[in-house]
Amino acid sequence: MTFLMHLSDVSEREWASAFQKALPNHKVVTRQDQYSPEEIKYLYVWKPEADAFDGLDNLEVIFSLGAGVDSIVKHPKLPRGVPVVRFVDDTLTQCMSDYVVANVTMHHRQATRYKREQAQRKWDQYYPERASTINVGIMGLGQLGKDAAQKLSMLGYNVAGWSRNPKGIGGIEEFSGTAKFDEFLSRTDILVCLLPLTPETQDILCMANFSKLRRGHLPGGPCIVNAARGGHQNEDDIVAALKGGTLAAASLDVFKVEPLPTSSELWALDNCYITPHIAAISGLEAGVRLVTSQINSYEQSGELKHLVDVERGY
Ligand code: NDP
Ligand code: OXD
């Protein structure tokens, strides 16, 4: 039973050593090791290369290092019928909520205004509005969106969420489906994206949608926070919206091209808050614990949790 690491931009050796300790009866290999493709039963994958599935004729389970599986489900050679399991863990959820709460509170508390006034050595005692007057809208009410929504609600924000199907999360106003999207946008001051990247959600952060956000409540205008995927955002539109005032500020953790090219105009905008795809991490300890327990349960009873619906895309 051989377990192959296929982890682009991540140390395969480090993960392989940790898995080998946790799964002593399995052979754990990296792409640099000697193995024959037919012996691979399990694959641990992040950003699969074009040849990721070549020759893996006896593959039984694909484990995603990420919570987001867009690069796996859109892979042209993804073997049909092989289950895909994604990363779901409280450690990742907690990290993401930390990022979302930090960025929402920063925009609520007018970080850009005070940064600009500091540069001018200007002392102007403007008091931000109470959290309860700020409408936060979270796109995606899954593992990550639900937790962020609940934490922001506990801080006093007026939180709504948008998903495909209603979730019944107490204390959160819910909008479901495309028919309710404009209504959701029109009540939102700070828009947070925690959607999976699918053909339906591609480029959802665009000028047409920014111009539907509520204006006149958050000083300077509405703000966006994107911690999902760069494919959700039209970066030219974000630059234009940040320069022209359609958006007061944007927090972006993900980009169409990563690393974000040094030529991107986003780097130079003082109302754009850039982080290098670090909102939440699939940590080694949690990943080894999760995948080991999934492999053990699969081998004992055939059961797997957190399965991806490949056709749906998440
Ligand atoms: P989930 O699959 O648990 O949740 C996805 C949510 O999005 C669900 O509520 C779903 O609604 C909703 N959704 C999907 N498609 C649509 C649509 N067309 N219209 C409206 N709602 C839709 O995902 P997670 O919460 O675990 O993760 C979300 C994303 O966060 C990941 O896909 C990944 O890209 C990103 N991520 C980024 C990280 C970072 O460090 N920047 C780290 C981890 C994840 P419904 O349930 O009703 O179908
Ligand atoms: C993920 C990510 O999808 O880190 O988990 O982006």
Side-chain angles (χ1 to χ4, degrees), residues 5-18:
M5 308 287 110
H6 182 113
L7 307 172
S8 308
D9 309 330
V10 173
S11 168
E12 289 181 359
R13 176 60 51 215
E14 199 183 346
W15 280 92
S17 308

Side-chain angles (χ1 to χ4, degrees), residues 103-104 107-108 110 129-138 157-160 183-192 209-210 212-225 245-250:
N103 283 277
V104 166
H107 296 312
H108 159 216
Q110 299 294 301
E129 297 291 336
R130 281 168 299 116
S132 58
T133 69
I134 309 291
N135 287 359
V136 181
I138 303 199
Y157 290 99
N158 196 8
V159 182
E183 198 186 325
F184 162 79
L185 291 176
S186 67
R187 51 74 63 202
T188 294
D189 300 314
I190 302 179
L191 180 68
V192 177
N209 288 332
F210 301 152
K212 293 176 189 161
L213 294 168
R214 185 165 84 146
R215 302 193 69 81
H217 284 259
L218 198 60
C223 298
I224 60 165
V225 176
T246 307
L247 291 177

Side-chain angles (χ1 to χ4, degrees), residues 191-229:
L191 180 68
V192 177
C193 181
L194 286 173
L195 289 165
L197 182 61
T198 65
E200 293 79 41
T201 65
Q202 173 99 22
D203 285 328
I204 198 163
L205 294 169
C206 62
M207 189 63 95
N209 288 332
F210 301 152
S211 53
K212 293 176 189 161
L213 294 168
R214 185 165 84 146
R215 302 193 69 81
H217 284 259
L218 198 60
C223 298
I224 60 165
V225 176
N226 185 15
R229 284 289 181 268

